[in-house]
Amino acid sequence: MSALRYPLVTSVSAFFACYNDELPIPKMVRDVHAALEASVPDFELIVVNDGSKDGSLAALHELQRDFPRLVVVDHDVYRGYGGAFLSG
């Protein structure tokens, strides 16, 4: 019996939503970025700031300086996970 062979994944787009996550978002971005960097040669990390009222958007823009593969999408009003998912 032969082993199943899967095509080598060489590119990944990872997405998650952010809503009032100013404190946990930097660690999450760093952890996901590190995991992607160790796994695939080509990737992007997309975070949708979904109408946060705290400093989440500022934290994300600051992170973009260190992580150029971080793409920030900003909703000026809360659209919920479904809305954030569609934008991501």
Side-chain angles (χ1 to χ4, degrees):
M1 182 173 200
S2 65
L4 290 176
R5 298 200 181 262
Y6 297 97
L8 179 64
V9 175
T10 59
S11 181
V12 171
S13 291
F15 151 83
F16 51 93
C18 170
Y19 179 71
N20 292 337
D21 292 320
E22 177 182 8
L23 297 178
I25 203 71
K27 182 177 179 350
M28 186 164 198
V29 166
R30 286 184 187 99
D31 289 351
V32 173
H33 187 279
L36 290 170
E37 194 170 50
S39 302
V40 293
D42 182 38
F43 67 90
E44 66 180 345
L45 175 54
I46 304 165
V47 180
V48 178
N49 178 55
D50 193 24
S52 295
K53 303 296 183 207
D54 64 358
S56 295
L57 183 59
L60 288 166
H61 286 310
E62 187 173 323
L63 287 163
Q64 281 183 306
R65 287 187 248 158
D66 294 329
F67 302 100
R69 293 183 184 189
L70 172 62
V71 177
V72 177
V73 178
D74 183 41
H75 292 172
D76 55 353
V77 296
Y78 178 75
R79 298 184 193 176
Y81 186 76
F85 184 79
L86 289 173
S87 293

